[in-house]
């Protein structure tokens, strides 16, 4: 039950793997989690000595996942041959091949209602002894709490991501409001620069005093524009911190 108190997904996965390898003395433990973007159950974490470091993901439409979703119970490699009443010889062979491809001796699914959040795959016991009925019962109970814990951490992560997006949206909204309020001032500055600059270009001013006054107006507004840009830049940096 302590699984449901862990809020960080990485810590949770490590804790589940520690329980399965230490309590049940499995050679290794692997966890596969649903990756909705890639339509597969992704190899997410492991503990112990895995025969191959490159473990493939399991597609959502594979026979293995379909079988797990249909029966919603532990799948044991040695028991595949006893499922002749559920599967034909070809399907049994394919299931065995799929379990071998991820080095799974036992697969423990983690369901929330009808949604398969992921599954734990165990290797053989370190002693090479078969898993007992008590072990199976322990794994079944663990799968219930593991599913609740995974769902809880997933909810917390999604909430944190949503809150981060909302904070970013507020920052962008604030920047947008600030720029909107400054747009009138910036437009005035451009006018105060462009008009006398164009008149200077046309030799409109007859005296040096008029020319100097126009040049001063241009420089003052250039400086004001620079100060506004500095302010916007400073505001943006503060909004990122």
């Amino acid at each position: 039950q302590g699984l449901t108190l862990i809020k960080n997904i990485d810590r949770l996965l490590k804790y589940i793997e520690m329980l399965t390898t230490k309590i049940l003395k499995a050679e290794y433990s692997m966890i596969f989690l649903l990756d909705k973007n890639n339509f597969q159950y992704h190899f997410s974490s492991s503990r112990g000595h895995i025969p191959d470091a490159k473990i493939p993901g399991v597609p959502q439409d594979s026979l293995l996942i379909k079988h797990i979703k249909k029966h919603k119970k532990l799948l044991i490699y040695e028991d595949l041959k006893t499922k002749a009443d559920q599967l034909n010889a070809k399907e049994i062979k394919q299931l065995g091949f799929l379990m071998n491809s991820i080095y799974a001796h036992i697969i423990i699914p983690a369901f929330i209602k009808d949604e398969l959040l992921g599954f734990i795959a165990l290797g053989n016991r370190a002693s090479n002894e078969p898993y007992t009925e008590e072990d199976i019962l322990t794994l079944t109970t663990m799968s219930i709490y593991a599913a609740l814990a995974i769902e809880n951490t997933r909810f917390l992560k999604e909430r944190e991501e949503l809150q981060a997006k909302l904070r970013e949206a507020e920052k962008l909204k604030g920047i947008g409001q600030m720029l909107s309020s400054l747009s009138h001032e910036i437009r005035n500055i451009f006018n105060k620069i462009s008009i006398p600059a164009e008149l200077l270009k046309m030799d409109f001013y007859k005296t040096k005093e008029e020319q100097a006054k126009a040049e001063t107006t241009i420089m003052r507004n250039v400086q004001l524009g620079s100060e506004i840009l500095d302010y916007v830049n400073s505001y943006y940096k503060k909004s990122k911190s």
Side-chain angles (χ1 to χ4, degrees), residues 153-168:
T153 56
R154 189 174 70 170
F155 168 76
L156 291 173
K157 183 178 180 181
E158 289 175 352
R159 188 178 69 176
E160 288 174 0
E161 290 174 350
L162 176 60
Q163 288 174 340
K165 288 179 181 178
L166 289 174
R167 288 194 295 270
E168 186 64 23

Side-chain angles (χ1 to χ4, degrees), residues 138-151:
T138 299
L139 289 170
T140 302
T141 304
M142 184 183 296
S143 70
I144 297 171
Y145 289 110
L148 291 171
I150 291 169
E151 176 68 5

Side-chain angles (χ1 to χ4, degrees), residues 72 111-116:
K72 295 184 179 180
F111 278 97
I112 290 290
K113 294 184 179 180
D114 292 328
E115 184 180 7
L116 178 63

